[in-house]
Amino acid sequence: MFEDAEISIPCPGCGHKTKKSIAWIQNNTYFSCEGCGRTVAFQADELLAGIENVDKTLADFRKKLGRIGKRR
């Protein structure tokens, strides 16, 4: 659901922020800073786990909304 969403990843060297999509982050572990050219490695495990949790929560919420007003 959030694959197209972008986040800014700051370079620890120069501080330049590089925008990357969630889909890109899921498939990569480093990038070249557009500001200074430094190779920046990152671990996105916590971010991706949080996004998966939000996806599941939204899916559960939609199911509950679909049941509102239905007879039991």
Coordinates of all heavy atoms in Angstrom, one line a residue:
M1 N 0.8 -1.2 0.0 CA 0.0 0.0 0.0 C 0.9 1.3 0.0 O 0.5 2.2 -0.6 CB -0.9 0.0 1.2 CG -1.7 1.2 1.4 SD -2.8 1.1 2.8 CE -4.0 2.2 2.3
F2 N 2.0 1.2 0.7 CA 2.8 2.4 0.8 C 4.0 2.4 -0.1 O 4.9 3.2 0.1 CB 3.3 2.5 2.3 CG 2.2 2.8 3.2 CD1 1.7 1.8 4.1 CD2 1.6 4.1 3.3 CE1 0.7 2.1 4.9 CE2 0.6 4.4 4.2 CZ 0.1 3.4 5.0
E3 N 4.1 1.4 -1.0 CA 5.3 1.3 -1.8 C 5.7 2.5 -2.6 O 6.9 2.7 -2.8 CB 5.1 0.1 -2.9 CG 5.0 -1.2 -2.2 CD 3.6 -1.6 -1.8 OE1 2.6 -0.9 -2.2 OE2 3.5 -2.6 -1.0
D4 N 4.8 3.3 -3.0 CA 5.1 4.6 -3.7 C 5.4 5.8 -2.8 O 5.9 6.8 -3.3 CB 3.9 4.9 -4.7 CG 3.7 3.9 -5.7 OD1 4.7 3.2 -6.1 OD2 2.6 3.8 -6.2
A5 N 5.2 5.6 -1.5 CA 5.5 6.7 -0.6 C 7.0 6.9 -0.6 O 7.7 6.0 -0.7 CB 4.9 6.4 0.8
E6 N 7.4 8.2 -0.4 CA 8.8 8.5 -0.4 C 9.2 9.0 1.0 O 8.4 9.7 1.7 CB 9.2 9.6 -1.4 CG 9.1 9.1 -2.8 CD 9.6 10.1 -3.8 OE1 9.7 11.3 -3.5 OE2 10.0 9.6 -4.9
I7 N 10.4 8.7 1.4 CA 10.9 9.3 2.6 C 12.3 9.9 2.3 O 12.9 9.5 1.3 CB 11.1 8.2 3.8 CG1 12.0 7.1 3.4 CG2 9.7 7.7 4.2 CD1 12.4 6.3 4.6
S8 N 12.7 10.8 3.1 CA 14.1 11.4 2.9 C 15.1 10.8 3.8 O 14.8 10.7 5.0 CB 14.0 12.9 3.2 OG 13.1 13.6 2.3
I9 N 16.2 10.3 3.3 CA 17.2 9.7 4.0 C 18.4 10.7 4.1 O 19.0 11.0 3.0 CB 17.7 8.4 3.4 CG1 16.5 7.5 3.2 CG2 18.7 7.7 4.3 CD1 16.8 6.2 2.4
P10 N 18.8 11.2 5.3 CA 19.9 12.1 5.3 C 21.3 11.4 5.2 O 21.5 10.3 5.7 CB 19.7 12.7 6.7 CG 19.0 11.7 7.5 CD 18.1 10.9 6.6
C11 N 22.2 12.1 4.6 CA 23.6 11.6 4.5 C 24.2 11.9 5.9 O 24.2 13.1 6.3 CB 24.3 12.3 3.4 SG 26.1 11.9 3.3
P12 N 24.9 11.0 6.5 CA 25.6 11.3 7.7 C 26.8 12.1 7.6 O 27.3 12.7 8.5 CB 26.0 9.9 8.3 CG 26.0 9.0 7.1 CD 25.0 9.6 6.1
G13 N 27.3 12.3 6.3 CA 28.5 13.1 6.0 C 28.1 14.5 5.8 O 28.7 15.4 6.5
C14 N 27.3 14.8 4.9 CA 27.0 16.2 4.5 C 25.6 16.7 4.9 O 25.3 17.9 4.9 CB 27.2 16.4 3.0 SG 25.9 15.7 2.0
G15 N 24.7 15.8 5.3 CA 23.4 16.1 5.7 C 22.4 16.2 4.6 O 21.2 16.4 4.8
H16 N 22.8 16.1 3.3 CA 21.9 16.2 2.2 C 20.9 15.1 2.3 O 21.2 13.9 2.6 CB 22.7 16.0 0.9 CG 21.8 16.1 -0.3 ND1 21.3 17.2 -0.9 CD2 21.3 15.1 -1.1 CE1 20.6 16.9 -1.9 NE2 20.5 15.6 -2.1
K17 N 19.6 15.4 2.0 CA 18.5 14.4 2.1 C 18.2 13.9 0.7 O 17.9 14.7 -0.2 CB 17.3 15.0 2.8 CG 17.5 15.4 4.3 CD 16.3 16.0 4.9 CE 16.6 16.3 6.3 NZ 15.5 17.0 7.0
T18 N 18.2 12.6 0.6 CA 17.9 11.9 -0.6 C 16.6 11.2 -0.5 O 16.4 10.5 0.4 CB 19.0 10.9 -1.0 OG1 20.2 11.6 -1.1 CG2 18.7 10.2 -2.3
K19 N 15.6 11.5 -1.4 CA 14.3 10.9 -1.4 C 14.3 9.5 -2.1 O 14.9 9.4 -3.2 CB 13.2 11.8 -2.0 CG 12.9 13.0 -1.2 CD 11.7 13.7 -1.8 CE 11.4 14.9 -1.0 NZ 10.2 15.6 -1.5
K20 N 13.8 8.5 -1.4 CA 13.7 7.2 -1.9 C 12.3 6.7 -1.6 O 11.7 6.9 -0.5 CB 14.7 6.3 -1.4 CG 16.2 6.7 -1.7 CD 16.5 6.5 -3.1 CE 17.9 6.8 -3.5 NZ 18.2 6.8 -4.9
S21 N 11.7 5.8 -2.5 CA 10.4 5.2 -2.3 C 10.6 4.0 -1.3 O 11.6 3.5 -1.2 CB 9.8 4.8 -3.6 OG 10.5 3.7 -4.1
I22 N 9.5 3.7 -0.7 CA 9.5 2.5 0.2 C 9.8 1.3 -0.6 O 10.6 0.4 -0.2 CB 8.1 2.3 0.9 CG1 7.8 3.5 1.7 CG2 8.1 1.0 1.7 CD1 8.7 3.8 2.9
A23 N 9.3 1.2 -1.8 CA 9.7 0.0 -2.7 C 11.2 0.0 -2.9 O 11.8 -1.1 -2.9 CB 8.9 0.1 -4.0
W24 N 11.8 1.1 -3.2 CA 13.2 1.1 -3.4 C 14.0 0.7 -2.2 O 14.9 -0.1 -2.2 CB 13.6 2.5 -3.8 CG 15.1 2.6 -4.2 CD1 15.6 2.5 -5.5 CD2 16.2 2.8 -3.4 NE1 17.0 2.6 -5.5 CE2 17.4 2.8 -4.2 CE3 16.3 3.0 -2.0 CZ2 18.6 3.0 -3.6 CZ3 17.6 3.2 -1.5 CH2 18.7 3.2 -2.3
I25 N 13.5 1.2 -1.0 CA 14.2 0.9 0.3 C 14.1 -0.6 0.6 O 15.0 -1.2 1.1 CB 13.6 1.7 1.4 CG1 14.0 3.2 1.2 CG2 14.0 1.2 2.8 CD1 13.3 4.1 2.1
Q26 N 12.9 -1.2 0.2 CA 12.8 -2.7 0.4 C 13.8 -3.5 -0.4 O 14.1 -4.6 0.0 CB 11.4 -3.1 0.0 CG 10.3 -2.6 1.0 CD 8.9 -2.9 0.5 OE1 8.6 -2.8 -0.7 NE2 8.0 -3.2 1.4
N27 N 14.3 -3.0 -1.5 CA 15.2 -3.7 -2.3 C 16.6 -3.3 -2.3 O 17.4 -3.8 -3.1 CB 14.6 -3.7 -3.8 CG 13.3 -4.4 -3.9 OD1 13.2 -5.5 -3.6 ND2 12.3 -3.6 -4.3
N28 N 17.0 -2.3 -1.5 CA 18.4 -1.8 -1.5 C 18.8 -1.6 0.0 O 18.0 -1.5 0.9 CB 18.4 -0.5 -2.2 CG 18.1 -0.6 -3.7 OD1 19.0 -1.0 -4.5 ND2 16.9 -0.4 -4.0
T29 N 20.2 -1.6 0.1 CA 20.7 -1.4 1.5 C 21.7 -0.2 1.5 O 22.3 0.1 2.5 CB 21.5 -2.7 2.0 OG1 22.4 -3.1 1.0 CG2 20.5 -3.8 2.2
Y30 N 22.0 0.4 0.3 CA 22.8 1.6 0.3 C 22.5 2.4 -0.9 O 21.8 2.0 -1.8 CB 24.3 1.1 0.2 CG 24.7 0.4 -1.0 CD1 25.2 1.2 -2.1 CD2 24.6 -0.9 -1.2 CE1 25.5 0.5 -3.3 CE2 24.9 -1.6 -2.3 CZ 25.4 -0.8 -3.4 OH 25.7 -1.5 -4.6
F31 N 23.0 3.7 -0.8 CA 22.8 4.6 -2.0 C 23.9 5.6 -2.0 O 24.7 5.7 -1.0 CB 21.4 5.4 -1.8 CG 21.4 6.3 -0.7 CD1 21.7 7.7 -0.8 CD2 21.0 5.9 0.6 CE1 21.6 8.5 0.3 CE2 20.9 6.7 1.7 CZ 21.2 8.1 1.5
S32 N 24.1 6.3 -3.1 CA 25.1 7.3 -3.2 C 24.5 8.6 -3.0 O 23.5 9.0 -3.6 CB 25.7 7.3 -4.6 OG 26.4 6.1 -4.9
C33 N 25.0 9.4 -2.0 CA 24.5 10.7 -1.7 C 24.6 11.6 -2.9 O 25.7 11.7 -3.5 CB 25.3 11.3 -0.5 SG 24.8 13.0 -0.1
E34 N 23.5 12.3 -3.2 CA 23.5 13.2 -4.3 C 24.2 14.5 -4.0 O 24.6 15.3 -4.9 CB 22.0 13.6 -4.7 CG 21.3 12.3 -5.2 CD 19.8 12.6 -5.3 OE1 19.3 13.7 -4.9 OE2 19.1 11.6 -5.7
G35 N 24.5 14.8 -2.7 CA 25.2 16.0 -2.3 C 26.7 15.8 -2.3 O 27.4 16.7 -2.9
C36 N 27.2 14.8 -1.8 CA 28.7 14.6 -1.7 C 29.2 13.4 -2.4 O 30.5 13.2 -2.5 CB 29.1 14.6 -0.2 SG 28.6 13.2 0.7
G37 N 28.4 12.5 -2.8 CA 28.8 11.3 -3.5 C 29.2 10.1 -2.6 O 29.5 9.1 -3.1
R38 N 29.1 10.3 -1.3 CA 29.4 9.3 -0.4 C 28.4 8.1 -0.5 O 27.3 8.3 -0.7 CB 29.3 9.9 1.0 CG 29.6 8.9 2.2 CD 29.5 9.6 3.5 NE 29.8 8.7 4.6 CZ 29.9 9.1 5.8 NH1 29.9 10.4 6.2 NH2 30.2 8.2 6.8
T39 N 29.0 6.9 -0.3 CA 28.1 5.7 -0.3 C 27.6 5.6 1.1 O 28.3 5.5 2.1 CB 28.9 4.4 -0.7 OG1 29.3 4.6 -2.0 CG2 28.0 3.2 -0.6
V40 N 26.2 5.6 1.2 CA 25.6 5.5 2.5 C 24.9 4.2 2.7 O 24.0 3.8 1.9 CB 24.6 6.7 2.7 CG1 23.9 6.6 4.0 CG2 25.2 8.0 2.5
A41 N 25.3 3.4 3.7 CA 24.6 2.1 4.0 C 23.5 2.4 5.0 O 23.7 3.2 5.9 CB 25.6 1.1 4.5
F42 N 22.4 1.6 4.9 CA 21.4 1.8 5.9 C 20.7 0.4 6.1 O 20.7 -0.4 5.3 CB 20.4 2.8 5.5 CG 19.7 2.5 4.2 CD1 18.5 1.8 4.2 CD2 20.2 2.9 3.0 CE1 17.8 1.5 3.0 CE2 19.6 2.6 1.8 CZ 18.4 1.9 1.8
Q43 N 20.1 0.3 7.3 CA 19.3 -0.9 7.6 C 17.9 -0.4 7.8 O 17.6 0.5 8.7 CB 19.8 -1.6 8.9 CG 21.1 -2.2 8.6 CD 21.6 -3.0 9.9 OE1 21.2 -2.7 11.0 NE2 22.4 -4.0 9.6
A44 N 17.0 -0.9 7.0 CA 15.6 -0.4 7.1 C 14.6 -1.4 7.8 O 13.4 -1.3 7.6 CB 15.1 -0.2 5.6
D45 N 15.2 -2.4 8.5 CA 14.4 -3.4 9.1 C 13.2 -2.9 10.0 O 12.1 -3.3 9.9 CB 15.2 -4.4 9.9 CG 16.2 -5.1 9.1 OD1 16.1 -5.2 7.9 OD2 17.2 -5.7 9.7
E46 N 13.6 -1.9 10.8 CA 12.6 -1.4 11.7 C 11.5 -0.6 11.0 O 10.3 -0.7 11.2 CB 13.2 -0.5 12.8 CG 14.0 -1.2 13.9 CD 14.5 -0.3 14.9 OE1 13.9 0.7 15.3 OE2 15.6 -0.6 15.4
L47 N 12.0 0.2 10.0 CA 11.0 1.0 9.2 C 10.1 0.1 8.4 O 8.8 0.3 8.5 CB 11.8 1.9 8.2 CG 10.9 2.6 7.1 CD1 10.0 3.6 7.8 CD2 11.8 3.2 6.1
L48 N 10.6 -0.9 7.8 CA 9.8 -1.9 7.0 C 8.8 -2.7 7.9 O 7.7 -2.9 7.5 CB 10.7 -2.8 6.2 CG 11.5 -2.1 5.1 CD1 12.4 -3.0 4.4 CD2 10.7 -1.3 4.1
A49 N 9.3 -3.0 9.1 CA 8.4 -3.8 10.0 C 7.3 -2.8 10.5 O 6.1 -3.3 10.6 CB 9.2 -4.2 11.2
G50 N 7.6 -1.6 10.7 CA 6.5 -0.6 11.1 C 5.5 -0.4 10.0 O 4.3 -0.4 10.2
I51 N 6.0 -0.4 8.7 CA 5.1 -0.2 7.6 C 4.2 -1.4 7.4 O 3.0 -1.3 7.2 CB 5.9 0.1 6.3 CG1 6.5 1.5 6.4 CG2 5.0 -0.1 5.1 CD1 7.5 1.8 5.3
E52 N 4.7 -2.6 7.6 CA 3.9 -3.9 7.6 C 2.9 -3.9 8.6 O 1.7 -4.3 8.4 CB 4.8 -5.1 7.7 CG 5.7 -5.4 6.5 CD 6.6 -6.6 6.6 OE1 6.2 -7.5 7.4 OE2 7.6 -6.6 6.0
N53 N 3.2 -3.4 9.8 CA 2.3 -3.3 10.9 C 1.1 -2.4 10.6 O 0.0 -2.7 10.8 CB 3.0 -2.9 12.2 CG 2.1 -3.0 13.4 OD1 1.2 -3.8 13.5 ND2 2.4 -2.2 14.4
V54 N 1.5 -1.2 10.0 CA 0.4 -0.2 9.6 C -0.5 -0.8 8.6 O -1.7 -0.7 8.6 CB 1.1 1.1 9.1 CG1 0.0 2.0 8.5 CG2 1.7 1.8 10.3
D55 N 0.1 -1.5 7.6 CA -0.7 -2.2 6.5 C -1.7 -3.1 7.1 O -2.8 -3.2 6.7 CB 0.2 -2.9 5.5 CG 0.7 -2.1 4.4 OD1 0.1 -1.0 4.1 OD2 1.7 -2.5 3.7
K56 N -1.2 -4.0 8.1 CA -2.1 -5.0 8.7 C -3.2 -4.3 9.5 O -4.4 -4.7 9.4 CB -1.3 -5.9 9.6 CG -2.1 -7.0 10.2 CD -1.3 -7.8 11.1 CE -2.1 -8.9 11.8 NZ -3.3 -8.6 12.4
T57 N -2.8 -3.2 10.2 CA -3.8 -2.5 11.0 C -4.9 -1.9 10.1 O -6.1 -2.0 10.5 CB -3.1 -1.4 11.9 OG1 -2.2 -2.1 12.7 CG2 -4.1 -0.7 12.7
L58 N -4.5 -1.3 9.0 CA -5.5 -0.7 8.1 C -6.4 -1.8 7.5 O -7.6 -1.5 7.3 CB -4.7 0.1 7.0 CG -4.2 1.4 7.4 CD1 -3.3 2.0 6.3 CD2 -5.2 2.4 7.8
A59 N -5.8 -2.9 7.1 CA -6.6 -4.0 6.6 C -7.7 -4.5 7.6 O -8.8 -4.7 7.2 CB -5.7 -5.1 6.1
D60 N -7.2 -4.6 8.8 CA -8.2 -5.0 9.9 C -9.2 -4.0 10.1 O -10.4 -4.3 10.3 CB -7.4 -5.3 11.2 CG -6.5 -6.5 11.2 OD1 -6.6 -7.3 10.3 OD2 -5.6 -6.6 12.1
F61 N -8.9 -2.7 10.1 CA -9.8 -1.6 10.2 C -10.9 -1.6 9.1 O -12.1 -1.5 9.3 CB -9.1 -0.3 10.3 CG -10.0 0.9 10.5 CD1 -10.6 1.1 11.7 CD2 -10.1 1.8 9.5 CE1 -11.5 2.2 11.9 CE2 -11.0 2.9 9.7 CZ -11.6 3.1 10.9
R62 N -10.4 -1.9 7.9 CA -11.3 -1.9 6.7 C -12.3 -3.0 6.9 O -13.5 -2.9 6.5 CB -10.5 -2.0 5.4 CG -9.9 -0.8 5.0 CD -9.2 -0.9 3.7 NE -8.6 0.3 3.3 CZ -7.3 0.4 2.9 NH1 -6.6 -0.7 2.8 NH2 -6.8 1.6 2.6
K63 N -11.8 -4.2 7.4 CA -12.8 -5.3 7.6 C -13.8 -4.9 8.6 O -15.0 -5.2 8.4 CB -12.0 -6.5 8.1 CG -11.2 -7.2 7.0 CD -10.4 -8.4 7.6 CE -9.5 -9.0 6.6 NZ -8.7 -10.1 7.2
K64 N -13.4 -4.3 9.7 CA -14.4 -3.9 10.7 C -15.4 -2.9 10.1 O -16.6 -2.9 10.5 CB -13.7 -3.3 11.9 CG -12.9 -4.4 12.7 CD -12.2 -3.8 13.9 CE -11.4 -4.9 14.6 NZ -10.6 -4.4 15.7
L65 N -14.9 -1.9 9.3 CA -15.8 -0.9 8.7 C -16.8 -1.6 7.8 O -18.0 -1.2 7.8 CB -15.0 0.1 7.9 CG -14.3 1.2 8.7 CD1 -13.6 2.1 7.7 CD2 -15.3 2.0 9.5
G66 N -16.4 -2.7 7.1 CA -17.3 -3.4 6.2 C -18.4 -4.1 7.0 O -19.5 -4.3 6.4
R67 N -18.2 -4.4 8.2 CA -19.2 -5.1 9.0 C -20.2 -4.1 9.7 O -21.3 -4.6 10.1 CB -18.5 -5.9 10.1 CG -17.8 -7.0 9.6 CD -17.2 -7.9 10.7 NE -16.0 -8.6 10.3 CZ -14.9 -8.6 11.0 NH1 -14.9 -8.1 12.2 NH2 -13.8 -9.2 10.5
I68 N -19.9 -2.8 9.7 CA -20.8 -1.9 10.3 C -22.1 -1.8 9.6 O -22.2 -1.7 8.3 CB -20.2 -0.5 10.4 CG1 -19.0 -0.5 11.3 CG2 -21.2 0.6 10.8 CD1 -18.2 0.8 11.4
G69 N -23.2 -1.9 10.3 CA -24.5 -1.9 9.7 C -25.1 -3.2 9.2 O -26.2 -3.3 8.7
K70 N -24.3 -4.2 9.2 CA -24.7 -5.5 8.7 C -25.4 -6.3 9.9 O -25.0 -6.1 11.1 CB -23.6 -6.4 8.2 CG -23.0 -5.8 6.9 CD -21.9 -6.7 6.4 CE -21.4 -6.2 5.1 NZ -20.3 -7.0 4.5
R71 N -26.4 -7.0 9.6 CA -27.1 -7.8 10.6 C -26.2 -8.9 11.1 O -25.4 -9.5 10.4 CB -28.4 -8.4 10.0 CG -29.4 -7.4 9.7 CD -30.6 -8.1 9.3 NE -31.7 -7.1 9.3 CZ -33.0 -7.4 9.4 NH1 -33.3 -8.7 9.4 NH2 -33.9 -6.5 9.5
R72 N -26.4 -9.2 12.3 CA -25.7 -10.3 13.0 C -26.5 -11.5 13.0 O -27.7 -11.6 13.0 CB -25.3 -9.9 14.4 CG -24.3 -8.8 14.4 CD -23.9 -8.5 15.8 NE -22.9 -7.4 15.7 CZ -21.9 -7.3 16.5 NH1 -21.6 -8.3 17.3 NH2 -21.0 -6.3 16.4

